[in-house]
Amino acid sequence: MIGVDFGGTRIKIANVDGAQVLEAHSIPTDRSKEPLALLRDIADAIRHLDPEPTSVGFAIPGEVDAAGRCWRLPNLPGFKGVPMQDELSRLLNCPVCVENDGIAAALAELAFGHGQRHPSFVILTLGTGIGGGVVLDGVPRRGTHGFAGELGHIAVHHDESWPCVCGSTGCLETYIGTPGLLRKYAELGGEAQQIRDIADRARAGEAAGLAVFEMMGEVLALGIRSMQNMLDVDAFVFTGGISPAFDLIEPSCRTTLRECSFAEPLAEVPLLVSGLGDRAGTIGAALLPRQFLKQS
């Protein structure tokens, strides 16, 4: 099965067998190209792995409707309204399923990760933005219009109301996505280009670094509180580029959950880091046709 993880800087393509990536390569996300030209490049890259694919799953960091037409792709605004699913299917001469990358990550976790023990869970991708996917009783939920799991845009009550790229203020993503964490670190007198650098300094005992992750844990807990009040799931699973620093985030997150949750059981929900690593995107993408195309 072929899975494609369409990122803002690179597009990963993999030939997947279950949880195993048999062969993979990537191409840069060329923002200078028109959407259809970039889709042609992606189709060429897919054929490099499999000249005659039987199906392709395509995960994007945005939303699509049930027919695979892009609602919006924040990092690549030109894709709004592009019929990605139909165009790729025409180029590759096979069924293609285009879905949000949070849903793809949830599928991978359900099939091969913590979802095997926790049939109802929320997955949160911690990175430049905050994505998510919701699985209830073993069924991934995409919502009526494809917007289920837009967890980064839950409004949280915080001391500062920072503007969000979505046009609102106070969204979860605004504080705990990469730009927000770098901003907080700069306000505390630090200077860094990557979250990994802040994590290294925090583990070495730097006060500013520790304060950044303490803030992240507190704000994340406010988002989890809202999700738990609505869903009461078995677990929260974290993936994405910031998730390796979860040991620095969890203490303040758990403390805040215990302080602000509606009920004690909601505060004790397991907080788990995915073990699938950077394979999750392509593995989950490869599962998309089996999950969603069978319904059409």
Side-chain angles (χ1 to χ4, degrees):
M1 299 185 290
I2 298 294
V4 181
D5 186 3
F6 189 5
T9 57
R10 296 203 69 80
I11 300 160
K12 301 175 184 177
I13 303 106
N15 190 350
V16 176
D17 182 10
Q20 300 299 313
V21 174
L22 303 179
E23 186 179 1
H25 71 115
S26 66
I27 61 173
T29 304
D30 190 342
R31 298 166 181 266
S32 68
K33 291 196 171 183
E34 293 294 321
L36 296 184
L38 187 53
L39 290 179
R40 286 194 292 271
D41 288 349
I42 293 169
D44 289 342
I46 290 169
R47 282 192 291 266
H48 176 76
L49 281 186
D50 187 343
E52 296 182 355
T54 56
S55 68
V56 172
F58 196 81
I60 69 168
E63 299 80 29
V64 294
D65 66 15
R69 181 180 298 271
C70 184
W71 281 112
R72 62 178 180 179
L73 200 56
N75 291 322
L76 294 163
F79 273 85
K80 184 177 180 179
V82 172
M84 301 175 75
Q85 189 161 294
D86 287 348
E87 184 64 20
L88 282 168
S89 183
R90 182 186 68 80
L91 290 168
L92 294 165
N93 195 32
C94 74
V96 174
C97 183
V98 180
E99 258 298 354
N100 175 265
D101 57 1
I103 292 177
L107 280 174
E109 202 65 38
L110 179 62
F112 306 113
H114 293 296
Q116 295 179 298
R117 292 185 295 108
H118 301 286
S120 293
F121 66 92
V122 169
I123 190 164
L124 283 163
T125 57
L126 308 178
T128 302
I130 305 298
V134 178
V135 175
L136 299 178
D137 297 325
V139 180
R141 303 293 180 175
R142 71 178 310 277
T144 301
H145 303 101
F147 288 87
E150 281 300 320
L151 306 174
H153 299 284
I154 290 176
V156 293
H157 174 70
H158 189 52
D159 294 338
E160 301 168 287
S161 292
W162 291 354
C164 181
V165 293
C166 75
S168 187
T169 58
C171 292
L172 184 67
E173 175 177 302
T174 307
Y175 304 108
I176 67 172
T178 297
L181 298 178
L182 293 175
R183 173 177 174 172
K184 183 66 175 180
Y185 190 57
E187 288 182 355
L188 295 169
E191 184 177 345
Q193 300 298 316
Q194 299 182 69
I195 302 303
R196 184 185 304 112
D197 297 333
I198 304 176
D200 289 343
R201 295 168 194 171
R203 291 193 178 98
E206 183 195 68
L210 289 168
V212 166
F213 290 108
E214 181 178 9
M215 181 276 287
M216 182 175 182
E218 292 171 355
V219 176
L220 179 60
L222 298 178
I224 291 173
R225 175 187 62 181
S226 295
M227 299 174 214
Q228 273 295 73
N229 284 348
M230 181 176 293
L231 300 173
D232 189 10
V233 293
D234 304 327
F236 282 79
V237 181
F238 303 94
T239 186
I242 302 175
S243 62
F246 198 71
D247 59 306
L248 297 165
I249 302 162
E250 184 173 12
S252 61
C253 183
R254 182 68 74 187
T255 297
T256 304
L257 274 175
R258 288 169 176 162
E259 292 172 350
C260 71
S261 288
F262 180 71
E264 183 177 343
L266 299 179
E268 301 305 324
V269 62
L271 306 175
L272 309 169
V273 177
S274 174
L276 297 177
D278 60 5
R279 298 175 295 140
T282 50
I283 290 172
L287 294 171
L288 288 169
R290 186 176 71 185
Q291 177 68 32
F292 293 109
L293 292 182
K294 67 182 180 182
Q295 301 169 5
S296 56

